[in-house]
Every structure is written in structure tokens, then in C-alpha cells.
Amino acid sequence: MATMIVPNSIAFQLSANSLFFLLLIIFCSSCKTTYAFQGTKSKSFHHILHLNSLLQSAACNSSTQGLHHQKSSLQVVHKHGPCSPLHLDRAKTPPTHAETFFQDEGRVRYIQSRLANKSGSKADVKVTDVANLPAKDGRVVGSGNYIVTVGIGTPKKQLSLIFDTGSDITWTQCEPCLGYCYQQRDAKFDPSVSSTYSNVSCNSVQCSSLLSATGYLPLCSLSTCVYSTQYGDSSFSTGFFAKERLTLTPFDVFDNFLFGCGQNNQGLFGGAAGLLGLGRDQLSLPSQTARKYNKIFSYCLPSSSSSIGFLTLGKCRRYGSKSVKFTPLSTSIQDSSFYGLDITGISVGGKRLSISASVFTTAGAIIDSGTVITRLPLDAYAALRSEFRQRMRRYRMGRELSILDTCYDFSKYKSVNIPKISFFFRGGVKLTIPLVGTLYVANVSQVCLAFAANSDASDIAIFGNTQQKTLQVIYDGAGGRVGFGTKGCY
């Protein structure tokens, strides 16, 4: 019997009949189902919010899927909404607002620590106090809010995966779960019944590429490459690194797709079968399918959990449209996974805020599909909050909601005027945030400005998924740019 020594003085034993895998724990994020803002109108520099639109539908409105849906598209649904296949599992309850923001803080701290790169290695990220929130075997939100369904193997096995622009490796839980598997809605993938499955060898170039994609050196088990990946909470996945047939749509099938066949997985993945990595590393989905899609994809996150959005691979119909404005990817972000943005300014109600350019350039910014609330440098957020409060002074303030400190009680109103917030990006791009991306609604007496401040000027800003709702966001990896189009879905 041989003994393998791993970090933190944890020893694992390997025998001829069994394999035990490295247990890795770190942090991730979560999100809460939000309210629909149906029937709202915009006028001048304000949105008009009708309070009866805050009622959340309990049924899936399948007619709300993206206006630009095409053959190379997948449906995007909120993990806890009525459109999600995971919604059918009544044993899993959605997270509370407190859990949402607690988990979101975990992801933000993980990303900011990783991008700070103080030690020169992603693997040296420190554990934060979010670790005190116990894992619930996948019953709470994991490293993203939104899922897509793809096919893996031959015959094809349909699996619901979280998609994440801040992760690279795609993985799913696999039988026989030699370590541990959390509870998921779909039946776990069984590689033994697939005719196209094969393990990647330890001495292959593909195995060596895991370091840049995950931040961790691959392990080796009986000549088979073993991957390990961690997220911004107590979530992790470890297992065999393998090749398999990936079916995205009937028109988009890829053989020898590199993915993780998870044998030891724990964490907050909300019942999803795993994760679809949309980052920029060579092991991500956009990179592995670059010959067909040229590293181009787009998505639209629906306005509410009862609506449907889309994820499109390759050029979408609006790709060359004048209605889509592109900004160059930031060159200040050195991490190979994230998509960097250069923010140049913010306006509220048509007024450009007086914020020094150095406030945004000190740490830079990224766009992330897995972070719920946009995080801004302290000085930028202070200016935004001050101007927003000034323009909302006629309305009664409500109780703060966790990290959200600017909330209102609209219980006595039928409609209210909300000042429009616009972001400016390098290249002269102006993006007006939709109303659904401006506010986070706990209830009618606690409607909050959906932005938060970083604690340190050196912390990177993050453009989160709440602010991306209903926008068509286009990632052009080959062209080195990100585009924004309005009214991508509802």
C-alpha cells in the first residue's frame, strides 16, 4: 500500500482496489431569485417603476426567451426559478437574501485575492470567514446563478451545468463517486456506459495545462491525470481528467472535449451537475471550440427567475449591429481566466459624476457572470450613492439589506421615478443599466440600490450579473473585446 503526501499534512492511501482523492476546500458565491420589473417604462433620465410589477411569478414564462435565439443557442434559466429543471426538487429551498450576499462576498474576496496575485500563484489564496457558512450538499447556490443543459457522452447524457465566465475547466459529477458526490437533480454521468470516453494520461500536454486553468498542479493516479479545482466558498471538485463527446445543440457536437469527471465533489452548486467554464484559458469551452466559434459567445440573463434567456456560441445576429457597442478588453488584467474592462466613468440621472480616473485604474475591473452585485471602488461608490440618494430624497428610506446600504420603502406608492445609472467604458462606450439591474428587491418596503463598495482601493471592481440582466453581452475573445446590446431578452 502506497501513501501520497499532499498539502496541509493530509495523507491519502492508494490501493489496487480503491482510489481516494485530494479534498480541497475554499470559497464560492450565491445568488437569490429577484423580482420581475414587467410593465415598466423609461422616460428622459429616469425609469418609471410600477410597484405592481414587483410581484414574482410562480410559473415559467417560456415566451420570454431571447429575441435573438438561433440554432447554436442554449436556453439560460435561473437555477432556483420555475423554468429550471432543478426547481422540480422540492427538497431544495432557495437561499435567503442573507445567504445570497454572504456567498457573494465569498466569491468576490476569492476573485480579488486571486487577481491581487500577491504570492504569484492562484493556489495560495487564503481562506476567509465565509468558510464558517457550512456547505449544504448542493442545496444552496454555488459558483453562479444560471444554468444551461448540455449533452455529454455517447449515448448523450443531458446535464444541467452552471455557466461561469470566471472559470475555465468544465466538469461534472461522475459515477462511481469514489470520494463523495453532493446531491444533484440529474442522474450522475457514468463514463463506463459511454463509447467515446477516455482518460487523459499523466504525461500528456493536456494534463500539464491544468495548472493554468485551475491554479493547481495535476496529480497522477495509476497513469491517469487527476484534476483539482476550487471556488470561492467551501466548494471543490476533484477527479479524472478526461476526453468525451460534448453536444451543445444538434448542430454543435465536439469530440475529444477535455473535461473533469468528478469523483470527489462537495459544495454549494444548487443541485446542478457541475460547471461549464467560459473563461479565457486554453481549457475553457470558448478556447476548445475556437475553430468553429472563434472564441465568440454571447448571453442574455433574464429579468427574473420566471423568464428564459440564452447562451449563443459563435457570432450572434446582432454581432455586427450598430446597436451593440464594443469596448476593448483591459490589458491591465493579467489573469488568463477573466475578462477585464476599463471603466472610465459613471453617471446618475444624466449627470456625470466627479470621479478621478485613477479611482478606476488603480485596481482595474472585470465582468463576471457569477458575482451577483457589482462592486465599485470606495470613492466611486460613495459618489454614486450620494447622487442617487439626492435624487431619491422624496422617498422614505428603508432598512439596509446586508451589503446594500441604500434601500427604500415604496409600500405607499403605486409608481416611483428611479434615476438612470450609466457606465462609461474605454472606446467611448456608454451603457445605461436597465431598471432590473439598478435595484435589488427584497420586498416592496425594502428595495435597494444594487451596488456595493470595495473595502480597499486596491481591490478590483467587478461588473456583476444583476447589472447584466436583459442585456446581450457579447464576448469576442479573438477580437479582444466585449460588447453590450440592449433588450437582448426579458
Side-chain angles (χ1 to χ4, degrees), residues 198-227:
S198 63
N199 286 325
V200 171
S201 66
C202 293
N203 58 2
S204 65
V205 174
Q206 293 96 331
C207 188
S208 300
S209 65
L210 282 169
L211 177 59
S212 65
T214 66
Y216 296 91
L217 286 168
L219 300 176
C220 190
S221 177
L222 297 180
S223 77
T224 296
C225 185
V226 175
Y227 78 94

Side-chain angles (χ1 to χ4, degrees), residues 7-28:
N8 300 323
S9 300
I10 301 175
F12 286 81
Q13 292 186 324
L14 178 65
S15 71
N17 297 320
S18 64
L19 298 173
F20 291 88
F21 295 92
L22 178 64
L23 179 65
L24 300 172
I25 299 180
I26 206 164
F27 317 103
C28 186

Side-chain angles (χ1 to χ4, degrees), residues 428-468:
V429 174
K430 177 184 177 181
L431 173 63
T432 298
I433 307 299
L435 176 58
V436 70
T438 303
L439 303 173
Y440 185 97
V441 182
N443 52 65
V444 72
S445 60
Q446 199 173 24
V447 182
C448 306
L449 178 65
F451 297 83
N454 284 330
S455 58
D456 191 278
S458 64
D459 291 335
I460 196 163
I462 303 175
F463 192 69
N465 62 41
T466 295
Q467 283 63 44
Q468 298 174 47

Side-chain angles (χ1 to χ4, degrees), residues 322-351:
K322 292 182 179 179
S323 64
V324 175
K325 305 299 182 183
F326 284 94
T327 181
L329 289 174
S330 176
T331 57
S332 65
I333 305 302
Q334 300 303 313
D335 191 285
S336 62
S337 298
F338 295 99
Y339 297 88
L341 298 175
D342 289 321
I343 301 173
T344 59
I346 301 174
S347 69
V348 177
K351 177 184 177 181

Side-chain angles (χ1 to χ4, degrees), residues 184-198:
Q184 67 178 55
R185 174 66 186 178
D186 302 321
K188 289 182 284 294
F189 178 68
D190 186 351
S192 68
V193 299
S194 174
S195 62
T196 48
Y197 177 90
S198 63

